[in-house]
């Protein structure tokens, strides 16, 4: 068989893996690329395979970076089946039309500008009609129930604990007299999240494809409800708004869970409005309520078989129409506004950022991963001026980050999960869905602590698998060759930097009087680096 890495390779989004056996071709995920313009442009490229020849898509979960190109796949000739859990199928019913609406709206906006410039119009990646057609291909399969593709591919979904319906994919493929087990982690959740169950433990695999979003980071263990409450109270005391860019699926429901709990305990001021301003998040929350069978025991005890209690507290307001959303920015008083998108790149959140970023009394609270190139990432990194909806805005609001809310396992949790793969240990572990630094860190840990072989594939890399043996076929994509060479040089630079950093830190600890001149040297060096890279607009 042959496994090709077509997305989430040396990047966090665009999850897509092509599996080819002698009899069939199928995909694990078919996700959209998100983030910088260069990354997003990959969505417009032709698939590097014939969509009509793909028998099935095995979908890990409903986030757009895992399912968002399925309508394009169908538009280009796919006639097979998309297999997913029930909650994922339900969520896809709202996620894909929403994505199509964004594609069409963006295309209309570009075309208005292009017309004035005398340039050719652009087409959306896919339409609402394409999304509706794609949804006809979805078939739901329960967790841990085996199903087949033909006679030689057995598949099972296990709970990934990331969002409701998220799945680890267990594939057992028989070719000749050899059966090979491949496991795809999908997006792996961190244990003890509210509402959903912990990730399932898998005991062994011949090959493992594992995500690495937080491959080099560790979530802080702290009382999230109390910290959330502190940020809210501090902002209310200043007379500002708490603006929370939140992913519509997963993160929003976690926030509602915490606010519901704080209200129930009497710790949250009953006069503070909590406004849910995202049609997608509103619909996603309804789907969470419907799929209470996937709740963990704590959530079942709190809500029973009535998930609607999640939204049954008097402070919560549902903002349905665009007019209601815009009115929030002219209303008096302070409020907590939860709105999408989670990386602040699109949606109603942009209006709230435009009206609050310049206000020092307001707080912009990030509760999730911010991809490289996104507006959220730039705000978290401390940018002082940003362009929002065509207008330059000064950043004077407090920018706060609560990383512990992440739906992704951190480096220790990833290693604990991987450590359960013992019968057998994977012959090779492929590290995907992450940025370079996190992937390299996780690779080093796997090799040193787990004593496993690990490889970080580039887009277009493939492996030919025979039982537990595999042969790498490097990518022939020209831009990937550039990326490989640049990665090698940056790795050398990074090693030198880490060595220098260690020496500087040790000198400052041993000789505290050197701290001030060392800081001056660091500032001078950093400014010189910025000057060197200024011609490249980095």
């Amino acid at each position: 068989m042959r496994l090709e890495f077509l997305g989430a390779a040396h990047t966090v989004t665009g999850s897509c893996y092509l599996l080819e056996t002698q009899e069939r071709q199928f995909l694990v995920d078919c996700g959209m690329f998100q983030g910088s313009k260069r990354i997003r442009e990959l969505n417009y490229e032709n698939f590097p395979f014939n969509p009509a020849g793909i028998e099935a898509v095995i979908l890990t979960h409903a986030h757009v970076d895992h399912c968002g190109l399925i309508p394009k796949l169908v538009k280009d000739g796919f006639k097979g089946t998309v297999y997913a859990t029930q909650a994922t199928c339900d969520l896809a019913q709202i996620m894909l039309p929403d994505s199509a609406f964004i594609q069409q709206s963006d295309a209309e906006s570009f075309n208005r500008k292009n017309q004035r410039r005398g340039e050719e119009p652009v087409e959306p990646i896919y339409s609402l009609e394409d999304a509706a057609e794609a949804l006809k291909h979805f078939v739901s399969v329960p967790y841990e129930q085996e199903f087949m593709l033909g006679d030689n591919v057995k598949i099972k979904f296990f709970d990934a604990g990331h969002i409701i319906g998220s799945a680890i994919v267990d594939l057992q493929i028989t070719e000749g007299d050899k059966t090979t087990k491949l496991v795809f982690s999908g997006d792996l959740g961190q244990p003890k999240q509210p509402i959903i169950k912990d990730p399932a433990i898998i005991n062994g695999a011949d090959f493992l494809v594992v995500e690495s979003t937080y491959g080099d980071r560790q979530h802080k263990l702290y009382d999230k409800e109390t910290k959330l409450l502190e940020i809210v109270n501090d902002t209310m005391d200043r007379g500002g708004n708490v603006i929370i860019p939140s992913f519509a699926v997963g993160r929003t429901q976690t926030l509602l869970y915490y606010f519901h709990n704080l209200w129930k305990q009497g710790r949250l001021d009953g006069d503070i409005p909590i406004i849910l301003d995202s049609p997608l998040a509103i619909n996603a929350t309804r789907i969470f309520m419907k799929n209470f069978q996937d709740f963990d025991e704590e959530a079942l005890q709190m809500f029973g078989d009535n998930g609607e209690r999640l939204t049954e507290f008097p402070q919560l307001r549902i903002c349905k129409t665009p007019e209601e959303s815009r009115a929030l920015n002219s209303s008096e008083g302070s409020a907590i506004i939860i709105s999408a998108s989670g990386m602040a790149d699109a949606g109603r959140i942009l209006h709230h950022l435009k009206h609050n970023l310049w206000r020092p009394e307001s707080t912009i609270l990030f509760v999730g991963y911010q991809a490289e190139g996104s507006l959220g990432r730039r705000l978290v990194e401390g940018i002082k001026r940003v362009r929002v909806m065509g207008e330059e805005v000064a950043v004077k609001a407090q920018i706060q980050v609560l990383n512990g809310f992440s739906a992704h396992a951190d480096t220790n949790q990833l290693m604990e999960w991987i450590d359960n793969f013992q019968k057998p240990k994977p012959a090779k572990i492929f590290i995907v869905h992450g940025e370079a630094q996190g992937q390299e860190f996780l690779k080093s840990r796997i090799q040193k602590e787990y004593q496993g072989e690990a490889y970080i594939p580039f887009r277009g890399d493939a492996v030919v698998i025979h039982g537990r043996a595999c042969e790498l076929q490097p990518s022939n994509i020209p831009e990937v060759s550039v990326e490989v060479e640049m990665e090698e040089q940056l790795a050398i630079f990074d090693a030198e930097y880490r060595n220098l950093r260690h020496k500087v830190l040790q000198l400052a600890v041993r000789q505290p009087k050197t701290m001030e001149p060392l800081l001056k040297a660091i500032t001078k060096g950093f400014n010189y680096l910025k000057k060197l890279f200024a011609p490249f607009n980095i």
Side-chain angles (χ1 to χ4, degrees), residues 44 103 106-111 114 119-125:
Y44 292 87
Q103 311 313 315
D106 286 351
E108 288 169 7
S109 177
F110 281 128
N111 287 337
N114 287 351
E119 296 177 3
E120 291 295 317
V122 299
E123 291 290 326
I125 299 170

Side-chain angles (χ1 to χ4, degrees), residues 263-315:
W263 162 76
K264 193 174 180 181
Q265 295 165 8
R267 299 169 65 193
L268 183 65
D269 185 341
D271 293 329
I272 303 172
I274 300 169
I275 300 163
L276 181 55
D277 184 25
S278 164
L280 186 62
I282 293 164
N283 289 329
T285 302
R286 292 193 181 106
I287 289 169
F288 264 69
M289 297 170 185
K290 173 184 171 185
N291 285 279
F292 61 85
Q293 75 279 354
D294 292 340
F295 287 6
D296 63 15
E297 288 188 14
E298 184 180 0
L300 284 172
Q301 288 176 4
M302 180 177 291
F303 302 119
D305 59 358
N306 181 9
E308 291 184 10
R309 293 177 189 165
L310 180 63
T311 56
E312 287 179 356
F313 57 112
Q315 289 167 266

Side-chain angles (χ1 to χ4, degrees), residues 1-4 18-21 175 460 462-465 473:
M1 85 187 75
R2 185 174 182 272
L3 167 62
E4 186 173 0
L18 172 65
L19 273 157
E20 299 176 277
T21 69
E175 291 186 308
V463 286
V464 178
I465 296 171
Q473 296 178 337

Side-chain angles (χ1 to χ4, degrees), residues 83-125:
Y83 295 99
T85 64
Q86 182 61 60
T88 296
C89 290
D90 290 344
L91 287 168
Q93 296 286 329
I94 61 170
M95 298 293 284
L96 295 184
D98 182 77
S99 176
F101 177 77
I102 291 171
Q103 311 313 315
Q104 289 183 299
S105 297
D106 286 351
E108 288 169 7
S109 177
F110 281 128
N111 287 337
R112 283 194 295 270
K113 294 175 184 176
N114 287 351
Q115 189 176 22
R116 292 193 292 269
R117 297 171 185 153
E119 296 177 3
E120 291 295 317
V122 299
E123 291 290 326
I125 299 170

Side-chain angles (χ1 to χ4, degrees), residues 224-290:
K224 297 182 185 69
E225 286 183 359
T226 297
K227 184 61 180 176
L228 180 62
L229 185 61
E230 287 174 1
I231 291 171
V232 168
N233 288 340
D234 288 346
T235 308
M236 297 302 116
D237 289 344
R238 297 195 305 271
N241 295 315
V242 178
I243 307 298
I244 309 179
S246 182
F247 298 101
V249 180
R251 204 62 40 83
T252 292
Q253 291 73 38
T254 298
L255 284 166
L256 291 176
Y257 179 94
Y258 282 130
F259 282 128
H260 183 281
N261 230 16
L262 288 167
W263 162 76
K264 193 174 180 181
Q265 295 165 8
R267 299 169 65 193
L268 183 65
D269 185 341
D271 293 329
I272 303 172
I274 300 169
I275 300 163
L276 181 55
D277 184 25
S278 164
L280 186 62
I282 293 164
N283 289 329
T285 302
R286 292 193 181 106
I287 289 169
F288 264 69
M289 297 170 185
K290 173 184 171 185

Side-chain angles (χ1 to χ4, degrees), residues 31-45:
M32 184 170 283
F33 291 93
Q34 298 171 304
S36 67
K37 182 180 178 182
R38 183 184 72 83
I39 294 292
R40 294 197 307 273
E41 285 173 349
L42 296 174
N43 294 315
Y44 292 87
E45 293 186 1

Side-chain angles (χ1 to χ4, degrees), residues 238-409:
R238 297 195 305 271
N241 295 315
V242 178
I243 307 298
I244 309 179
S246 182
F247 298 101
V249 180
R251 204 62 40 83
T252 292
Q253 291 73 38
T254 298
L255 284 166
L256 291 176
Y257 179 94
Y258 282 130
F259 282 128
H260 183 281
N261 230 16
L262 288 167
W263 162 76
K264 193 174 180 181
Q265 295 165 8
R267 299 169 65 193
L268 183 65
D269 185 341
D271 293 329
I272 303 172
I274 300 169
I275 300 163
L276 181 55
D277 184 25
S278 164
L280 186 62
I282 293 164
N283 289 329
T285 302
R286 292 193 181 106
I287 289 169
F288 264 69
M289 297 170 185
K290 173 184 171 185
N291 285 279
F292 61 85
Q293 75 279 354
D294 292 340
F295 287 6
D296 63 15
E297 288 188 14
E298 184 180 0
L300 284 172
Q301 288 176 4
M302 180 177 291
F303 302 119
D305 59 358
N306 181 9
E308 291 184 10
R309 293 177 189 165
L310 180 63
T311 56
E312 287 179 356
F313 57 112
Q315 289 167 266
L316 183 64
R317 278 181 51 197
I318 303 297
C319 198
K320 295 180 180 178
T321 68
E323 291 74 24
E324 289 175 318
S325 176
R326 286 192 289 270
L328 295 175
N329 293 310
S330 58
S331 61
E332 295 182 1
S334 299
I336 301 163
I337 301 175
I338 305 169
S339 188
S341 72
M343 294 185 195
D345 268 347
R348 294 183 181 181
I349 190 64
L350 294 176
H351 291 275
H352 303 307
L353 290 174
K354 180 179 175 180
H355 287 273
N356 284 274
L357 275 171
W358 56 271
R359 300 178 61 197
E361 63 270 27
S362 287
T363 297
I364 315 301
L365 174 60
F366 290 96
V367 291
Y369 181 80
Q370 304 300 308
E372 192 173 357
S374 66
L375 174 58
R377 179 69 161 260
R378 284 180 281 147
L379 289 169
V380 166
E381 289 178 343
I383 194 169
K384 298 303 179 186
R385 300 187 75 83
V386 293
R387 185 165 289 276
V388 183
M389 301 180 72
E391 185 176 325
E392 194 167 287
V393 181
V395 180
K396 295 185 178 180
Q398 287 199 16
I399 307 297
Q400 296 272 9
V401 180
L402 292 181
N403 281 324
F405 280 77
S406 173
H408 289 270

